Amino acid sequence: KNQVEQSPQSLIILEGKNCTLQCNYTVSPFSNLRWYKQDTGRGPVSLTIMTFSENTKSNGRYTATLDADTKQSSLHITASQLSDSASYICVVAGSQGNLIFGKGTKLSVKP
Amino acid sequence: EPEVTQTPSHQVTQMGQEVILRCVPISNHLYFYWYRQILGQKVEFLVSFYNNEISEKSEIFDDQFSVERPDGSNFTLKIRSTKLEDSAMYFCASRAGQGFAGYTFGSGTRLTVV
């Protein structure tokens, strides 16, 4: 069964600190993996998209990694800001374009 | 930046009533999707639509659901006889024909069935 598992479920960090979120998936066939940021009550907003041939991709303070052999990905956030507080969702695209979502990691950045 | 627009942002309906959720995808996009997110749970795929027909649907998308692209701009999700468990955020998404980079979500419609 196609699944996307994320850890931790929730995370609290102090402003300015770094953090790393994890994602494991079993989706096959695999098209691409993306990380989304979702604020409460809003639609997901794309942070990064990676195909199986990409190992690392950065978008400002966000850096995503992908190991297609072990089917693992991570999202590293550097120098966190209060506005980073949100759910971060790992999403894997299947071959038909439909997206399979993880449950997300709820990140809270405290001053 | 182009947006996917969904209306209404919040809809309250009585159990058993029909609802239509509306979406205006990005104008040059060819693939359209509906997802839902029950409060506190993950986003779930409902249906994909291309070339005026359903290309894939999940087991959630049963006979009470239907989608339509009635004109060149709107993409609708109809729930025929709503149940309490249909209460969720419903997200519309669209993408251009080439690649996945342009996959864009709307802000969602919060459906509350009472």
Side-chain angles (χ1 to χ4, degrees), chain B residues 26-96:
Chain B
I26 294 173
S27 61
N28 63 342
H29 282 190
L30 302 175
Y31 299 82
F32 312 109
Y33 305 85
W34 282 102
Y35 292 81
R36 79 171 184 192
Q37 185 176 30
I38 295 171
L39 186 64
Q41 298 187 22
K42 63 182 177 181
V43 178
E44 300 171 291
F45 167 72
L46 291 178
V47 65
S48 59
F49 192 87
Y50 170 71
N51 201 26
N52 284 320
E53 61 183 22
I54 290 173
S55 48
E56 189 172 359
K57 59 183 180 180
S58 71
E59 55 194 29
I60 301 169
F61 194 88
D62 59 22
D63 291 343
Q64 69 162 151
F65 292 95
S66 62
V67 289
E68 198 175 40
R69 190 156 159 80
D71 53 44
S73 59
N74 291 288
F75 179 50
T76 62
L77 175 69
K78 182 191 290 186
I79 308 174
R80 258 179 276 282
S81 177
T82 50
K83 306 184 213 107
L84 295 176
E85 54 265 37
D86 293 328
S87 295
M89 281 286 281
Y90 288 81
F91 293 106
C92 173
S94 70
R95 69 177 173 100

Side-chain angles (χ1 to χ4, degrees), chain A residues 77-111:
Chain A
I77 305 174
T78 58
S80 59
Q81 301 173 358
L82 298 178
S83 58
D84 292 334
S85 295
S87 283
Y88 290 84
I89 306 174
C90 177
V91 183
V92 180
S95 59
Q96 298 291 332
N98 57 304
L99 302 182
I100 298 144
F101 285 70
K103 287 188 177 179
T105 292
K106 184 165 183 169
L107 176 65
S108 297
V109 181
K110 303 293 187 186

Side-chain angles (χ1 to χ4, degrees), chain A residues 45-102:
Chain A
V45 175
S46 181
L47 297 175
T48 65
I49 301 173
M50 289 189 293
T51 63
F52 68 89
S53 61
E54 295 176 289
N55 299 120
T56 303
K57 185 168 271 191
S58 292
N59 176 7
R61 294 180 297 104
Y62 303 105
T63 299
T65 67
L66 173 64
D67 185 334
D69 292 329
T70 62
K71 297 188 177 181
Q72 295 180 325
S73 176
S74 68
L75 179 70
H76 186 73
I77 305 174
T78 58
S80 59
Q81 301 173 358
L82 298 178
S83 58
D84 292 334
S85 295
S87 283
Y88 290 84
I89 306 174
C90 177
V91 183
V92 180
S95 59
Q96 298 291 332
N98 57 304
L99 302 182
I100 298 144
F101 285 70

